[in-house]
Every structure is written in C-alpha cells, then in structure tokens.
Amino acid sequence: MGRPHTEFIAAQRLPWEKVPGDARADCQAKILSIDPERGDCSLLVRYPAGWRRGAEVLGCDEELFVLDGDLTIDGHPYREHGYAFLPAGHGRRDAASRHGAVVLTFFSAWPRLASTAIKSNAPAIQGLDSIAMDWDTKDIDPGLAFMGIRRKTLRVNPEFNQRSTFLIATAPHNHPKGWKCPTLTHPCVEECFMLGGDLTGPQGVLHTGTYFWRPPDVPHGPFGSLNGSLSLIRFVYGRHINVWGKEDVPYTFTPEHRPVLPAHLAALGREPYRGTMPY
Ligand SMILES: [Fe+2]
C-alpha cells in the first residue's frame, strides 16, 4: 500500500500518541507518516526524563536524529542534531535519556522487539555529531545552483552507493532565475523535515517543524527560500535521479497554502501553523 502523499504538515499540529509497535511503549510519538500495512514510519519520538533501557534488538532499521535533549545508546552520546543508523538485528547493550529527548526517528517496518536472528547487510552508523561535520557543495545539479545548496551526508545507502540521508542548507533570497523553472521528479520517495528557516514551493511555505513525504514520480517545485533553510532529507525506496520537466513553471515567494494531504490529516493541515513551537 505504501504511505500516502503528504506535502506538507506542520508537526506542531499533530497530537502526541502511542508509539506504533511495541519497542517504545514507554515513549510518545507524533506520527509524521506511516504505512498501515508494513508499519514503516517516520515519527517524532519523545523520550521521558530518566528513560532507561537494557539490552534489546529491533526487527527493523532505526534511523534517528535528535531535535532536542539527550540520548545515549551503547555509550555513544547524542545531543541536538546527533545522528545514528542502527540496522535491523543490531544488538544494543543499553540506552538512556537523562533529561528526556525529542528524536526524529525513521523505522523501516513496525518498531518491534526481535531476536538477533534478523540480520541486515547495512552497516551501523553511531555517534555522529552533525554539527561538527563540514558542509560540502559536491555534485550539486546545475539546475539547482540558484538555491546556494550546501550538504552534510549522514548516510550513504549501500544498495545504490549514493547519499540517502543528508542535511541540506539553502541560501536566503534564493529563487529560480527569472522567477520560473521546470519541475523536478525522482523515481524514489523524497522525505523532508524542516529544522529551520523557510522553504517555499507551490503548496505553500514550509517553516521549522514542517514535514513532507512525496511518493516516487511526483513532479515538484520549483522551490526557493526567502530567509534560508535547514532541513533533513531522505531519498528512500529507490535510486535518486533528477528528471527535469520540459516546461518552465512560474515561481513566487507568496503562494497560496494548499498542501496535498491524506484524509486523516486534511483538517490538521488546512491552515498554516503560525506559532513559535519548533515541532
Ligand atoms: Fe526533489
């Protein structure tokens, strides 16, 4: 079935609820998107202060990026913007959060406890402090040069040997030359969580805490930014290739708010979020 096109929803609008599956029953989550059959999901997981866990194994990949607070897994400390990828079957000795944490988390299937018999070929990435990493400007598509893009690669997907999870910063005052350019399409899912600033596209203005899940082969853009932006992007379920449209599409910093939303989010996303909460 897959996950429905969700472009876009402010996390601030979503309720805290039970974490799907059984692996984080003592935490709460905002469900950004989920496949109701396979259970793969993107969540904000809220760990309470004093949370502790002994040895455990999950039956799915867990990819995490700390938004706020502290989390320690197997002696690796994660603070704001700390990142990890723990593949299915990866045994953990212990984990804890002293002051509590809110963690952007991607599970590749229902987040359930499992035995070590499950093995993934994907290598674990642990203890990455993204704030300490250098920005790079390698391999930017010339068609996106106007955005002033810089990136930090968090994970390379070994299946395609290409960057699949990364931070992307775009410059302020970036817009297509002449206020028009073609759309872009990828044969894979593109997923985004806004960490700061603003990004403006045809569905509206994405601010901090905004999320989208765009299925493969959906033409999108153009995008630009008035004040600059910082976001986490994932390209999943396929190889990332840029396929440009043939015709120019007009661009504006002041589009109408008209997100594409599944029925269960339609009411929550009808109006732009104008508050000051970060998520
Ligand atoms: Fe894209």
Side-chain angles (χ1 to χ4, degrees):
M1 164 163 188
R3 305 189 212 176
H5 190 184
T6 302
E7 187 170 0
F8 51 86
I9 186 74
Q12 294 90 336
R13 297 274 194 211
L14 300 173
W16 290 105
E17 53 190 305
K18 180 182 175 301
V19 182
D22 63 5
R24 294 288 174 268
D26 46 2
C27 299
Q28 290 184 304
K30 292 193 178 210
I31 300 173
L32 301 170
S33 66
I34 186 167
D35 181 329
E37 290 176 0
R38 294 183 61 255
D40 58 290
C41 53
S42 302
L43 313 171
L44 298 187
V45 178
R46 183 165 67 183
Y47 292 79
W51 182 83
R52 299 192 77 81
R53 186 60 50 89
E56 71 170 8
V57 178
L58 302 195
C60 60
D61 300 340
E62 178 179 7
E63 193 168 8
L64 63 91
F65 184 85
V66 174
L67 298 182
D68 197 11
D70 67 279
L71 188 63
T72 299
I73 304 174
D74 288 345
H76 296 283
Y78 300 90
R79 295 196 166 77
E80 194 174 37
H81 293 199
Y83 172 84
F85 176 87
L86 304 174
H90 177 85
R92 305 143 198 237
R93 189 179 65 247
D94 53 40
S97 177
R98 185 171 179 191
H99 300 290
V102 174
V103 182
L104 177 60
T105 305
F106 309 97
F107 291 113
S108 66
W110 292 109
R112 288 178 177 148
L113 299 171
S115 79
T116 50
I118 298 166
K119 280 294 169 203
S120 165
N121 292 326
I125 301 167
Q126 297 175 88
L128 201 62
D129 174 8
S130 73
I131 293 175
M133 294 170 68
D134 290 330
W135 290 102
D136 80 63
T137 54
K138 287 181 290 189
D139 308 324
I140 305 291
D141 187 319
L144 296 172
F146 70 86
M147 298 187 80
I149 288 171
R150 293 178 297 157
R151 289 184 294 220
K152 294 185 180 189
T153 300
L154 302 178
R155 178 170 186 257
V156 171
N157 181 345
E159 186 182 353
F160 302 116
N161 191 31
Q162 67 175 185
R163 174 193 311 111
S164 57
T165 305
F166 54 97
L167 299 179
I168 184 166
T170 68
H173 294 191
N174 90 69
H175 59 83
K177 248 194 165 80
W179 298 89
K180 60 185 180 181
C181 84
T183 58
L184 199 49
T185 304
H186 318 297
C188 61
V189 168
E190 182 170 6
E191 181 176 32
C192 171
F193 187 85
M194 288 285 292
L195 298 165
D198 57 69
L199 197 61
T200 301
Q203 282 84 25
V205 184
L206 289 74
H207 291 285
T208 305
T210 295
Y211 169 84
F212 71 72
W213 173 275
R214 185 189 303 122
D217 303 320
V218 175
H220 53 278
F223 283 92
S225 177
L226 181 60
N227 297 294
S229 69
L230 174 64
S231 53
L232 184 147
I233 301 266
R234 291 204 319 153
F235 288 115
V236 286
Y237 298 114
R239 185 183 290 277
H240 170 228
I241 299 166
N242 285 347
V243 181
W244 287 95
K246 298 267 186 281
E247 292 173 17
D248 280 340
V249 175
Y251 181 77
T252 174
F253 277 152
T254 55
E256 281 181 51
H257 179 78
R258 46 181 183 191
V260 178
L261 292 167
H264 74 282
L265 293 179
L268 292 174
R270 190 170 293 132
E271 297 293 331
Y273 175 72
R274 300 191 191 282
T276 56
M277 298 290 286
Y279 42 76

